Every structure is written in C-alpha cells, then in structure tokens.
Amino acid sequence: MSPSPQIPVRAAGAVTAMGTAVLLAACGGPHSALDPRSDAAAGIAQLWWLLLAVCLAVFVIVLGLYGWAVWRRRPGEEAEPTGGIVNLIVVGGAAVPALILLGLTAGTVVTSSRLDLADAGNGEELLEIEVVGHQFWWEVRYPGTGAVTANEIHVPAGRTVRVKLSSADVIHSFWVPQLHGKVDMTPGRTSELVLAPREPGVYRGFCSEFCGVQHALMGMLVVAQAPDDFEAWLEEQARPAEPPSDQLRRAGESVFVDKECHFCHTVRGRDFGASPATSATATGPDLTHLGSRRTLAAGTLDNGREALATWVVDPAAVKPGARMPSTAMSDEEVEALVAYLEGLR
Ligand code: CUA
C-alpha cells in the first residue's frame, strides 16, 4: 500500500500559509516601502507591484509551456526544427522579452523622473533641511534658523521639504521607506530629495549603505507635525540652551566640561572655553535640546534617565564601535551629568 498523500499535501499547505503570512506581514508597517505615506513612495510602491505582476505572469507562462512540452513529449520522439519552432523562438525568446523589458524600463524611467516632482508642491517656496551623515548618526540642520539637532528630522505634514544630503566621512545612504527611495550621501557631494509626508506621524529611517561596524544601528526618525506645531518646535530648537536651573544640573555641567564632553558636543549658548571642536566640525551630535529628543544613539535607545546613564558611561556596550569613548565616572557624577543632559530641553 502506498503511503497516504495527505501528509505531504498538508505540510505543503502549512508551509504555503506560513510563507504567505510572513510575506504579507512584510508589506506593512514603518519598515515597509509597500506602505507608502507620500506621493513619491506611492509611485515607488506602484512600480514594485507592476514589476512583481509582470514577472509573475512571465514565470507562470514559461513554466506552463515547459510543463506542457514535457507532458507532450513521447519517448523516442525526436523533434525536427520546423519553421513554426523557429518562429516561436524568435517571437517568444527575443521579441516578447525585449518588448516586456522595454516597457518595464520605460515605467522605471517615468517613475524615477517623477519622484521629486510628485511631491515638489506647486511652486511654493520649499523649506530646506540639511542632513549630514556621520559614523554613526545623522546631523540635521535648519539653515537660516540656527537650529541643529540629530537623528530626528521634524517636518511640517502636508508640505514639501527639500532635504540636502551630504556626508562628513564615508558613504551613507538616506532611506525612509514610507516616504521616499534611498539616496546616497557621498563625501564631497550634495544630493537632494524631497520629503512630503501626507499626514502627521513618525516615520522610521535607516542608513542603507554599509558604513562601518554600527551601520545596522544608524537609525533616525522623521517626525511630521501639523504646520503650527512644527513652527513652535523649530523656534524652540533654534533657541540657545538655558543655564542649568539647579544645583545638581550645575554640577552636571561641570562634569560635562571636566570629562571633556564639550570637545565633541556643542551646547549652543554655553561657553565652555577653548575646545578643539566648533559646531561646524563637531564630531558628536549638538546637544542643545537633547532632552527633547525621542531617542538616543541614533534611534537605538528610547530617551530617558536610565538610557542616558547607560549610554554616557559605556557607549560600546550599547553600540560596539560607536565613536564616543567610555568615561570613568562616580555614581554622583553620572547622576549629575544625566540630570544636566536631561534638562537640555
Ligand atoms: Cu551609515 Cu550605514
């Protein structure tokens, strides 16, 4: 008696169902380019679905023809090349694929050329933001306002923002899947993209070009706010830091200077005396309003007291290969420093 065919069929069914579930789960959420929240990203997603549909159709037709040929073949039968077969090869093997590839190329060229136009607004003057890639974080500048922040790009929702991209060290790549395609950030070059989220929301972005040990943890957030909220946020960020408000925070600021944090980090409005770094060449993020940010260490930790303490004492424990050195500090010093940093709002 032959074994029941039920078991392999069931197993295949289960694998297919699981595979489909995994595939569908990958189609949504903040990491998915197939869950677009801007016109540019929607264009990219449409192109992706078109490519998938055409490739699937070709795959099914070719496999079908192959199966048909195998099924029809009789043992000992030799096929003689006839005029019909030659025509089939010329049409099916060259002409049709060439037409399909040309069509897909045209679709790709049209979508790419529309990417920036899709969101480019109606001749309105666009807000411009500069984003500089560093190993392993993102510097974000709002020209003309003095506001400088890191790893968190605020934009007004429903409006178009021009983002100028560059790099301070190696090649990075700016990618916010729900808002746009990837754009490389190359040292010595400025590239550009437009961000135009349709609705307020928080969108996750990544570095998508291998740039060193911490490439995988080089994340950021794009926070799209209602235009009024955005204006208020920008005004806050442009303000210099207030002097520390209490004893503990004053002590924390002293720790900040004693431990030479200001060599790499700027706190606008506070003069810590001579340091090798100026805001233009600082190798670490501007900390003027650190306390107002959602994350630390380029999207790796949720900002808060505990996370700050963990991060400043031993960055390598959070991100091996991070450029910030670990610093020997007493518990009191850590407490004061964290209070100071948290108070930078
Ligand atoms: Cu920066 Cu990968």
Side-chain angles (χ1 to χ4, degrees):
M1 219 176 109
S2 62
S4 157
Q6 285 292 5
I7 290 164
V9 168
R10 266 194 213 157
V15 168
T16 310
M18 260 159 46
T20 312
V22 168
L23 282 177
L24 287 179
C27 291
H31 296 185
S32 175
L34 299 180
D35 187 7
R37 300 303 167 90
S38 75
D39 291 351
I44 295 172
Q46 274 166 14
L47 180 65
W48 190 91
W49 285 111
L50 174 74
L51 289 175
L52 179 72
V54 171
C55 294
L56 256 183
V58 170
F59 180 73
V60 168
I61 290 171
V62 169
L63 273 194
L65 287 174
Y66 177 71
W68 179 70
V70 170
W71 178 71
R72 276 225 21 206
R73 191 170 174 274
R74 302 277 174 271
E77 185 184 274
E78 286 297 324
E80 288 296 319
T82 63
I85 288 177
V86 173
N87 281 345
L88 187 68
I89 291 172
V90 171
V91 173
V96 171
L99 274 179
I100 291 176
L101 288 177
L102 266 178
L104 292 181
T105 306
T108 308
V109 169
V110 169
T111 303
S112 316
S113 66
R114 277 195 195 147
L115 269 192
D116 289 349
L117 296 175
D119 288 325
N122 307 315
E124 50 173 322
E125 194 168 322
L126 303 184
L127 173 70
E128 198 171 286
I129 300 176
E130 294 170 3
V131 179
V132 185
H134 294 258
Q135 283 173 315
F136 301 94
W137 59 282
W138 313 83
E139 180 182 351
V140 186
R141 302 177 157 268
Y142 292 77
T145 68
V148 182
T149 180
N151 307 322
E152 198 171 299
I153 305 170
H154 286 238
V155 297
R159 298 251 290 274
T160 301
V161 178
R162 189 191 302 279
V163 185
K164 300 241 176 201
L165 302 168
S166 58
S167 168
D169 36 48
V170 300
I171 303 178
H172 304 272
S173 179
F174 183 94
W175 190 32
V176 186
Q178 291 184 297
L179 299 181
H180 206 284
K182 300 171 183 175
V183 176
D184 276 2
M185 310 167 90
T186 313
R189 259 202 73 174
T190 302
S191 34
E192 219 179 271
L193 63 73
V194 293
L195 287 182
R198 295 165 177 160
E199 304 286 338
V202 179
Y203 307 96
R204 234 187 126 81
F206 317 89
C207 180
S208 57
E209 179 75 42
F210 182 73
C211 55
V213 189
Q214 275 311 320
H215 159 70
L217 293 182
M218 185 169 164
M220 49 136 152
L221 298 175
V222 173
V223 181
Q225 296 172 291
D228 289 349
D229 295 343
F230 168 74
E231 291 300 335
W233 174 86
L234 188 57
E235 211 168 289
E236 280 290 299
Q237 297 290 313
R239 274 190 312 114
E242 304 281 343
S245 53
D246 59 51
Q247 188 67 40
L248 185 63
R249 288 186 176 137
R250 276 194 288 278
E253 192 177 64
S254 302
V255 176
F256 187 81
V257 177
D258 288 347
K259 301 294 176 186
E260 299 176 344
C261 304
H262 65 303
F263 276 24
C264 295
H265 296 285
T266 303
V267 178
R268 279 174 278 131
R270 305 297 295 154
D271 182 9
F272 301 130
S275 80
T278 67
S279 62
T281 58
T283 48
D286 182 300
L287 300 182
T288 312
H289 298 288
L290 174 69
S292 72
R293 290 181 207 151
R294 291 160 196 242
T295 69
L296 297 173
T300 308
L301 301 171
D302 288 335
N303 197 358
R305 228 156 236 253
E306 294 264 302
L308 267 171
T310 313
W311 179 231
V312 295
V313 170
D314 191 6
V318 181
K319 288 174 78 166
R323 289 295 170 91
M324 185 157 75
S326 48
T327 310
M329 280 181 280
S330 67
D331 288 351
E332 291 74 36
E333 285 173 326
V334 172
E335 194 194 347
L337 181 59
V338 166
Y340 171 64
L341 294 172
E342 208 194 14
L344 294 171
R345 284 180 181 270

